[in-house]
Amino acid sequence: MLTNFQDVANQFKSFDGTAHSGHINSGGIRDLYDEKFLLWKKRRVPFIKPIPIFGNMFDVCRWETTIGEFCQSVYEKTSEPFIGFFILDEPCLLVNDLDLIKNILIKDFEYFLNRTMANNDKTDGVGSNILFLMKTPKWTNVRRKMTPAFSSGKLKLMLKLMLEGGEQLVEYLNEMTKHNRILEAREICAKFTTNTITSTSFGLEANCFNEENSPFRVVARRLYNWKMTWHAIQTTCFFLAPKLVKLFRMQFIDTFSSNFFRNVFWKTMNERMHQKLIRNDLLDILIEMRKQDEVEDVDTLEGDILVAQAAQFFIAGFETTSSTMSFALLELAQRPDIQTKLRKEITDTKKLHGSFSYESLQAMEYLENTILETLRKYPIVPFLDRRCTKRYKIPGHDLVLEKGDMIYVPTMGIHNDPNYYPNPKQFDPDRFNKRNLEKRHNMTYLPFGDGPRNCIGKRFALLNAKSGLAHLLSNYEVRICDRTEKHMKLDPRGFLLQPDKGIYLEFIKTKE
Ligand code: HEM
């Protein structure tokens, strides 16, 4: 129970001079906002003083900072289990306590079925049908149908396509380093993941290493290009201003990209069914699923829902995985000792197993820990969010959440908390060895979220990143160079954690 309300108030007085104890200066805030802005005070929850129109999102709206960084800064300035803030005029609760987070994500999931993001099915046929944006009850059905596509058996079959991508990556580096050893790691990793994800989802060759403007790479660049201002505004609104999304008929996936995905999907699907080809990719799984649904005479996925399931591999998968790989390369370039140890594990394990395979990649524990530590330091999705879907009393506190209330979890704050990760700026894969893992609460690590709404592609992403890094590091050493940014700044326009500029590194062929 929040008995020390005034203490909390005092603590927050120093919070950029804007934090508040719970009483609002009516002179400072227009009447229009009074009712909503008084909500946390009425519920006796400490909160950060909002300003009209923007609530606490002034800096986020003018792209000075990201929601992830905002949540982190609030987390770092309070020891309260939860604290109120406002996204424009909407009250939100930032939950910091690990047991409460566990309740919301896992134990009491039935009260928090959806994310807070907008969903506009009127004009956003593909975007509104990806699982990330979908709401219950539609989400429940599609998630259940899509889960088997990510089973170990299916992943093993898809790995062959990922390994081919790894070989293409090395060939590309061999060619590029003949001319210049300084290369931009983000673009290289994005080419790799665009190739492997196109191959595993749409069953096609994206050809990004040979064709600078391959159609898949062009669409991929559009999806995460926040320099396109209207695109950045629309995406920001999906997170911050759902009402504007409906009003201005905004799209999460623009018409050009949606049409591209529809055309490619139906063309390939029809060819595949006609020629009865088997490629062990997502299309095969979707064809099989439809056949099975026909036999069992149950509703099957149709139209844009089906297209969206292939497109979401691409949308949710290529940028997240490629950013993880390029952040890992940056850290390894700064820590040659870790890089050497990792390369030894990769080459020794490959020798032992005879090749890169599902089994050999699974056996590379230090590689796995390097990727996990990368995602600790750089959680690509830096916060989690849920919308309360029915009245919920927070256990151990007086607070009752109402249907519609928005909950945020400060992933980046937790991942950088020295109480859980001593010296958090230091990159240390050993934080994830078994002994150290057992010491921590499992909610201290949330790069893929948790509970029934966690990342469905987690194991796929880890396998793809492992394959890419194993190929690259067994053939190349990466070093920092004059063009490597000393203090990397994050791109404040995106909702994912992305560097504002490129990651330039020197790639040197290893002797073996
Ligand atoms: C390193 C790479 C990745 C990271 C860090 C990542 C992270 C996340 C996070 C944090 C969430 C939200 C989880 C939650 O709210 O509890 C999420 C959701 C999701 N991810 Fe990933 N992801 C990655 C790769 C992928 C890949 C490769 C795919 C598909 C092949 C994918 C598909 C999805 C989908 C569909 C959702 C929404 C799930 C739902 O609402 O049911 N992700 N991801």
Side-chain angles (χ1 to χ4, degrees), residues 105 115 130-134 139 143 150 197 312-314 316-318 320-321 324 375 379-381 383-386 446-458 460-462:
L105 297 181
R115 290 203 177 79
I130 58 172
L131 283 168
F132 203 86
L133 267 69
M134 249 184 207
W139 170 81
R143 172 97 190 197
F150 295 89
I197 287 182
Q312 96 187 334
F313 254 62
F314 201 80
F318 96 86
T320 46
T321 314
T324 307
L375 284 166
I380 310 293
V381 184
F383 65 93
L384 302 172
D385 62 311
R386 295 287 186 271
L446 294 166
F448 295 102
D450 213 328
R453 221 161 166 159
N454 73 347
C455 175
I456 200 171
K458 173 182 170 179
F460 176 96
L462 289 175

Side-chain angles (χ1 to χ4, degrees), residues 57 60-61 66-68 85-88 90 92 115-119 130 132-133 135 224 226 231-245 250 252 380-385 387 406 408 493-496:
M57 290 293 114
V60 175
C61 287
T66 61
I67 312 178
F85 69 98
F86 293 85
I87 290 189
L88 312 187
E90 292 294 334
C92 306
R115 290 203 177 79
T116 59
M117 283 180 76
N119 179 312
I130 58 172
F132 203 86
L133 267 69
K135 312 285 174 208
Y224 289 93
W226 312 120
H231 181 46
I233 292 173
Q234 290 195 75
T235 311
T236 306
C237 286
F238 268 84
F239 285 93
L240 300 187
K243 285 178 202 148
L244 295 186
V245 167
M250 290 177 177
F252 194 67
I380 310 293
V381 184
F383 65 93
L384 302 172
D385 62 311
R387 198 179 279 276
M406 299 202 276
Y408 284 77
R493 291 183 168 214
F495 65 99
L496 297 179

Side-chain angles (χ1 to χ4, degrees), residues 7-233:
D7 290 352
V8 173
N10 292 337
Q11 184 184 348
F12 272 83
K13 268 180 188 155
S14 58
F15 188 78
D16 296 340
T18 55
H20 208 262
S21 68
H23 43 202
I24 283 183
N25 295 326
S26 53
I29 295 173
R30 289 183 197 127
D31 290 351
L32 179 67
Y33 292 97
D34 268 5
E35 198 48 39
K36 278 203 158 177
F37 282 169
L38 282 171
L39 185 120
W40 291 128
K41 181 186 174 178
K42 282 187 196 155
R43 295 195 197 170
R44 297 199 56 75
V45 171
F47 65 96
I48 309 167
K49 182 182 176 184
I51 59 166
I53 303 177
F54 296 101
N56 303 110
M57 290 293 114
F58 186 57
D59 285 345
V60 175
C61 287
R62 59 194 181 121
W63 292 326
E64 280 290 307
T65 188
T66 61
I67 312 178
E69 287 170 303
F70 167 81
C71 291
Q72 178 179 12
S73 76
V74 178
Y75 174 85
E76 283 170 356
K77 287 176 177 124
T78 176
S79 52
E80 289 302 313
F82 44 78
I83 179 159
F85 69 98
F86 293 85
I87 290 189
L88 312 187
D89 61 348
E90 292 294 334
C92 306
L93 194 72
L94 187 77
V95 180
N96 302 322
D97 179 85
L98 300 181
D99 291 326
L100 288 183
I101 293 174
K102 192 170 186 172
N103 287 341
I104 289 167
L105 297 181
I106 307 171
K107 203 171 141 266
D108 297 328
F109 172 73
E110 61 181 296
Y111 296 85
F112 303 95
L113 299 168
N114 294 327
R115 290 203 177 79
T116 59
M117 283 180 76
N119 179 312
N120 185 16
D121 51 7
K122 296 270 184 307
T123 52
D124 192 17
V126 174
S128 65
N129 281 308
I130 58 172
L131 283 168
F132 203 86
L133 267 69
M134 249 184 207
K135 312 285 174 208
T136 43
K138 200 170 164 187
W139 170 81
T140 319
N141 179 33
V142 178
R143 172 97 190 197
R144 186 174 42 77
K145 282 194 183 295
M146 287 306 295
T147 300
F150 295 89
S151 68
S152 307
K154 299 281 191 258
L155 287 184
K156 272 188 191 174
L157 294 173
M158 287 186 203
L159 179 69
K160 186 174 162 285
L161 305 171
M162 296 180 193
L163 294 177
E164 281 170 15
E167 282 159 24
Q168 291 163 3
L169 167 65
V170 175
E171 280 165 29
Y172 176 74
L173 286 175
N174 291 345
E175 199 45 45
M176 293 302 283
T177 47
K178 278 184 195 160
H179 317 288
N180 188 356
R181 296 199 315 206
I182 311 286
L183 300 170
E184 205 281 293
R186 281 184 72 197
E187 180 62 21
I188 294 169
C189 296
K191 282 182 166 142
F192 164 76
T193 56
T194 307
N195 274 357
T196 50
I197 287 182
T198 306
S199 174
T200 45
S201 55
F202 288 93
L204 296 171
E205 293 281 335
N207 229 359
C208 297
F209 287 130
N210 303 323
E211 225 182 301
E212 192 50 36
N213 285 324
S214 124
F216 277 96
R217 189 72 199 109
V218 170
V219 170
R221 283 197 195 107
R222 279 179 79 93
L223 288 173
Y224 289 93
N225 182 0
W226 312 120
K227 306 283 182 260
M228 283 162 49
T229 304
W230 179 235
H231 181 46
I233 292 173

Side-chain angles (χ1 to χ4, degrees), residues 340-377:
T340 306
K341 181 172 169 186
L342 177 57
R343 182 170 301 103
K344 185 166 173 2
E345 180 193 72
I346 294 170
T347 45
D348 287 357
T349 317
K350 186 183 174 197
K351 251 183 222 149
L352 193 71
H353 287 256
S355 65
F356 288 132
S357 61
Y358 189 79
E359 287 69 27
S360 65
L361 290 177
Q362 293 304 77
M364 295 178 195
E365 262 178 49
Y366 199 64
L367 176 60
E368 167 125 352
N369 294 348
T370 302
I371 297 172
L372 297 182
E373 171 66 348
T374 305
L375 284 166
R376 197 256 330 148
K377 203 171 162 189

Side-chain angles (χ1 to χ4, degrees), residues 425-441:
K425 297 259 171 294
Q426 188 175 315
F427 184 79
D428 178 9
D430 286 331
R431 294 183 201 270
F432 290 89
N433 65 30
K434 263 202 194 91
R435 194 165 35 87
N436 288 331
L437 256 183
E438 277 163 12
K439 287 187 208 152
R440 285 190 300 265
H441 193 296

